[in-house]
Amino acid sequence: MSPYLLGLHLSGRRVLVVGGGRVAQRRVPALLEAGARVTIVSTSVTHALDDLIASGRVTWEARPYQVGDVDGAWLVQACTDDRAVNTAIAAEAEAKRVWCVRADDKDASAAWTPASGRVGEINVAITAGGDPRRAAGIRDAVVEALRDGTVDARRNRTKPVGVALVGGGPGDPGLITVRGRQLLAQADVVVADRLAPQALLDELSPDVELIDAAKIPYGRFLAQEKINELLVEHARQGKFVVRLKGGDPFVFGRGGEEMLACARAGIPVIVVPGITSPVAVPAAANVPVTHRGVSQEFHVISVHVPPGDARSTVDWPNLARSSGTLILMMAVERIGAIAETLVQEGRSPETPVMVVQDGTLPTQRAVQATLATVAERVTDAGIRPPAIVIVGDVVKVGQEVEMVRAERIP
């Protein structure tokens, strides 16, 4: 017959584990996570179990099993490598009406330990006819589907409320965080930036309202004040709103303004950090923003206005004198003025530069230059936003990586 599946509240309840080998090592952490008071009876234990014992989280009785050990237990795990001992443990448990899991014989076991996983508040437990490997494979598939939103988790009694500011990452839909994807799958309304991972929007349920909050350079523009109003308006209607942004909400994403607008309106806000493009895009182009012996600092600069503009708050002289890596955002249209300023303020015109367009996407491409040549190279290559500009000797590290790879190709 099929087993009757239950979720046990073990908090504060005694669980007996007989055996201290690898099977016990796998099962004890889950029991502890459930709040159980675990007692291990075994002549020896693994190093991992020894650490739990030393920390006081587990009680260890360093001896063989003996009749009477089951007394006071709510659940028993028979995990020894001796079939006769496991049989005796199971018999005592049966006589005392205590559920017992036998690790060595699924058919003789009164209970099975399912392959379990957790995604947020959702617990998944799989039994596959007592086959642990098959159960684990199915568990992994279900957990992954819940994490990435493939399985619809929107219809539940405790859906999030208010607004979630979700960083979608640098562009590749696979680089959004697990938490971000979970919340996106539960949204009633999604307010999406132009730089948010567009492939994720195609996965939204048809009943999700999608609002385009694009800010296209020198093109159409949805004012930030209007975006703030939309977030508050829909949240007040009882809808769960996800503000999906490219990169991280608080790295030149104006997420702080949106959080303040919601706070002033009494709307709860969940903030989900995202992988920011100033770090991710150089990495995707094989350029580390810091490298031992080359650069031990990096600066991220928004160049939405050029050097010398009265609205600029960037200290270009100090940046030019710094030996750190410069990561420039929104800089493509002003790259000539930027390079000229850095050279005038002290950076060598031979400083390496890399400009990466569409970082992490299939359309990613990059040009390499120096401060003296970058403006011309960007124009000749037709580089357009969105793009990240990397200034500094770390660009040479990426070049070295490519050279080593080329040398190893037969």
Side-chain angles (χ1 to χ4, degrees):
M1 293 184 181
S2 298
Y4 182 79
L5 299 182
L6 265 179
L8 299 179
H9 285 287
L10 294 176
S11 180
R13 294 186 166 101
R14 181 174 181 264
V15 174
L16 173 67
V17 177
V18 185
R22 292 183 179 179
V23 175
Q25 179 179 311
R26 290 199 302 269
R27 296 187 179 178
V28 166
L31 293 169
L32 292 175
E33 188 175 342
R37 293 188 297 109
V38 177
T39 298
I40 297 176
V41 173
S42 179
T43 56
S44 62
V45 295
T46 66
H47 291 304
L49 289 174
D50 197 28
D51 286 342
L52 294 175
I53 293 163
S55 69
R57 300 182 65 193
V58 173
T59 300
W60 178 30
E61 298 187 15
R63 58 171 175 78
Y65 159 78
Q66 61 190 31
V67 175
D69 284 340
V70 171
D71 292 345
W74 292 72
L75 176 67
V76 176
Q77 297 268 356
C79 303
T80 79
D81 56 6
D82 187 322
R83 182 177 180 82
V85 172
N86 289 340
T87 300
I89 297 166
E92 182 186 357
E94 184 74 16
K96 295 177 177 176
R97 297 186 178 183
V98 178
W99 291 108
C100 178
V101 180
R102 285 188 61 164
D104 63 332
D105 190 338
K106 66 181 180 65
D107 295 321
S109 184
W112 294 341
T113 297
S116 60
R118 185 170 182 175
V119 181
E121 62 183 12
I122 300 172
N123 290 294
V124 175
I126 304 292
T127 60
D131 183 337
R133 290 187 179 180
R134 186 181 181 205
I138 297 170
R139 181 270 320 275
D140 291 345
V142 173
V143 166
E144 182 62 27
L146 284 168
R147 282 177 174 165
D148 66 18
T150 303
V151 171
D152 186 2
R154 297 178 63 227
R155 295 172 179 83
N156 58 76
R157 299 182 197 174
T158 57
K159 187 175 67 174
V161 296
V163 173
L165 304 179
V166 175
D172 181 340
L175 294 177
I176 189 174
T177 64
V178 171
R179 180 63 170 153
R181 199 150 190 172
Q182 289 171 353
L183 294 176
L184 189 62
Q186 299 180 72
D188 298 308
V189 179
V190 175
V191 182
D193 272 356
R194 177 178 67 96
L195 297 180
Q198 299 301 302
L200 296 177
L201 303 180
D202 293 336
E203 300 175 3
L204 295 175
S205 177
D207 62 338
V208 175
E209 182 178 355
L210 178 60
I211 298 174
D212 181 3
K215 294 184 177 74
I216 299 176
Y218 315 109
R220 60 190 178 87
F221 184 90
L222 185 60
Q224 185 63 51
E225 292 73 16
K226 180 60 178 177
I227 294 173
N228 297 347
E229 291 174 9
L230 288 169
L231 298 178
V232 171
E233 174 188 339
H234 286 285
R236 280 179 169 166
Q237 294 171 6
K239 299 174 181 177
F240 177 51
V241 184
V242 168
R243 174 71 168 108
L244 183 63
K245 309 168 80 69
D248 181 274
F250 291 168
V251 180
F252 302 121
R254 305 188 74 168
E257 297 174 46
E258 293 164 354
M259 182 172 62
L260 282 169
C262 290
R264 288 168 181 148
I267 304 297
V269 175
I270 301 168
V271 178
V272 181
I275 299 175
T276 185
S277 59
V279 175
V281 170
N286 297 321
V287 176
V289 294
T290 63
H291 191 72
R292 187 173 64 173
V294 177
S295 175
Q296 56 184 340
E297 60 180 305
F298 68 97
H299 308 265
V300 180
I301 304 103
S302 168
V303 198
H304 61 282
V305 293
D309 191 291
R311 295 167 294 173
S312 176
T313 61
V314 178
D315 188 344
W316 290 104
N318 268 337
L319 288 175
R321 289 191 293 271
S322 165
S323 60
T325 306
L326 307 184
I327 310 295
L328 310 177
M329 304 176 67
M330 296 172 275
V332 169
E333 299 292 337
R334 290 164 282 278
I335 191 62
I338 295 165
E340 182 180 349
T341 299
L342 288 172
V343 171
Q344 287 177 350
E345 297 293 348
R347 279 257 177 163
S348 167
E350 299 306 311
T351 302
V353 180
M354 177 182 282
V355 184
V356 186
Q357 177 182 322
D358 293 342
T360 77
L361 295 173
T363 52
Q364 174 178 312
R365 64 190 184 116
V367 297
Q368 298 185 25
T370 64
L371 284 176
T373 63
V374 65
E376 182 180 357
R377 292 281 289 119
V378 164
T379 300
D380 291 345
I383 297 292
R384 301 292 300 167
I388 294 290
V389 179
I390 311 158
V391 180
D393 287 339
V394 291
V395 172
K396 294 180 180 178
V397 178
Q399 294 171 342
E400 183 180 352
V401 169
E402 293 302 321
M403 290 174 57
V404 170
R405 287 177 174 171
E407 290 172 357
R408 294 181 64 87
I409 296 175

